[in-house]
Amino acid sequence: MKNQSLGNQIIKLSYVDSTNNYTAKLVKETKISFGTVIMADFQTHGKGQRSSFWESDKGLNLLISIYFDSSFLNSENIFFLSKAIALAIRECLEKITGIKVSIKWPNDILINGSKIAGVLIENQWKNEKLSSSIIGIGLNVNQVIFSGQENVISLKNLTSKDYNLNSILKSLCSSLDTEFTRLRNFDFFEIDRQYHSFLFNYNKWSNYEKNKINFKGKLIKVDSFGKMVLQLDNGDKKSFEIKEVSLLK
């Protein structure tokens, strides 16, 4: 299969358990080509990082999965895919809103310190080699009330405008195509530089928590494996896996 521009083929669903699950089913049945976008009005079991639930009211937000040919990457540089996606969403939202957008490790997208988008990447491997990736993206667009969730925001919360989801998707696909081109060109240095330049709390001392123990740390790096590297107040440096440590308010 050859790479194609994102959005050339869009499969629209009224509802599904999750767009990532649906995409994985199509991949298993070999009924999907690279660059295909699965878009749903509603997910009954929308997925976030590490089995968390992604809340979204019907027809109000952008809920998509993308089937991506990531076979040119390997286990040592696969996290650059996550960085590239975060950069693309950030750029797209900043163009739309004119408001500063930041990336919270590993790839949540924040505006004014509140989460507006999240990413879930599920990779497929064959014979210990990466073959493809399913990229799930949830972007809060026209929903204004998020029950039981703190620090969540939408485009409509920010601007009081209603947005056309198809137009948002077209803009996002354009930004993703740009970042994916850089990724295929192995421009890891520039992707890494930009990712860190927009990283929330980068080079700032903050309070963190692990196993109910609080400590101070300064975020100095997110490495190629996606681990967050903190400098501790005793001068030591320590790496943490996703959701191994929490940032406190």
Side-chain angles (χ1 to χ4, degrees):
M1 294 183 186
K2 294 181 180 179
N3 280 297
Q4 60 180 39
S5 293
L6 300 184
N8 280 2
Q9 182 178 359
I10 301 174
I11 299 173
K12 295 184 178 180
L13 308 169
S14 58
Y15 72 93
V16 70
D17 58 346
S18 90
T19 55
N20 269 27
N21 286 351
Y22 186 87
T23 306
K25 183 173 180 289
L26 291 182
V27 171
K28 190 174 182 180
E29 296 172 352
T30 62
K31 292 182 178 179
I32 188 171
S33 58
F34 289 124
T36 299
V37 176
I38 309 297
M39 181 179 181
D41 287 336
F42 183 71
Q43 296 181 120
T44 57
H45 294 86
K47 296 190 289 185
Q49 289 283 356
R50 294 293 173 96
S51 302
S52 59
F53 178 72
W54 183 268
E55 178 196 349
S56 177
D57 288 349
K58 186 174 182 179
L60 296 181
N61 303 312
L62 190 66
L63 307 171
I64 64 169
S65 291
I66 299 162
Y67 184 43
F68 181 69
D69 180 5
S70 53
S71 59
F72 62 95
L73 297 170
N74 58 46
S75 59
E76 295 184 356
N77 56 33
I78 182 60
F79 193 73
F80 283 101
L81 173 60
S82 181
K83 290 181 177 180
I85 294 165
L87 285 172
I89 300 171
R90 191 214 68 80
E91 179 197 48
C92 175
L93 292 178
E94 198 160 286
K95 282 182 179 178
I96 291 169
T97 64
I99 302 171
K100 183 180 178 182
V101 183
S102 57
I103 301 167
K104 183 181 178 183
W105 173 77
N107 51 25
D108 283 345
I109 309 301
L110 306 183
I111 298 183
N112 298 334
S114 294
K115 182 174 178 177
I116 192 168
V119 179
L120 177 65
I121 303 170
E122 295 179 305
N123 298 312
Q124 288 76 48
W125 302 79
K126 288 183 180 178
N127 300 321
E128 299 184 357
K129 288 188 177 182
L130 187 64
S131 60
S132 61
S133 299
I134 297 172
I135 302 162
I137 298 174
L139 170 58
N140 299 328
V141 181
N142 293 317
Q143 185 171 336
V144 293
I145 297 173
F146 297 87
S147 59
Q149 293 192 67
E150 295 183 359
N151 299 321
V152 179
I153 204 165
S154 70
L155 288 175
K156 189 170 182 178
N157 286 143
L158 289 163
T159 67
S160 300
K161 297 178 184 176
D162 283 305
Y163 292 87
N164 180 284
L165 296 182
N166 291 319
S167 296
I168 298 290
L169 176 59
K170 185 177 179 180
S171 177
L172 178 57
C173 284
S174 176
S175 294
L176 285 165
D177 266 332
T178 298
E179 289 300 326
F180 288 161
T181 296
R182 289 206 298 179
L183 192 65
R184 292 188 189 99
N185 290 334
F186 300 101
D187 194 1
F188 297 148
F189 177 84
E190 185 60 18
I191 291 171
D192 197 55
R193 186 193 69 79
Q194 287 201 23
Y195 177 87
H196 282 89
S197 72
F198 296 114
L199 192 58
F200 183 72
N201 260 19
Y202 181 54
N203 266 335
K204 292 182 180 178
W205 288 100
S206 304
N207 294 312
Y208 292 89
E209 183 268 330
K210 179 183 178 182
N211 298 330
K212 298 183 180 180
I213 298 174
N214 296 353
F215 64 95
K216 283 191 176 296
K218 181 167 69 172
L219 174 52
I220 59 172
K221 183 181 180 182
V222 175
D223 68 21
S224 60
F225 296 98
K227 293 182 180 180
M228 177 176 66
V229 182
L230 294 180
Q231 179 180 328
L232 307 180
D233 52 11
N234 64 1
D236 290 346
K237 295 177 184 178
K238 191 168 183 181
S239 298
F240 297 92
E241 299 277 1
I242 295 169
K243 293 210 170 180
E244 182 183 357
V245 63
S246 300
L247 176 66
L248 301 177
K249 296 179 182 178

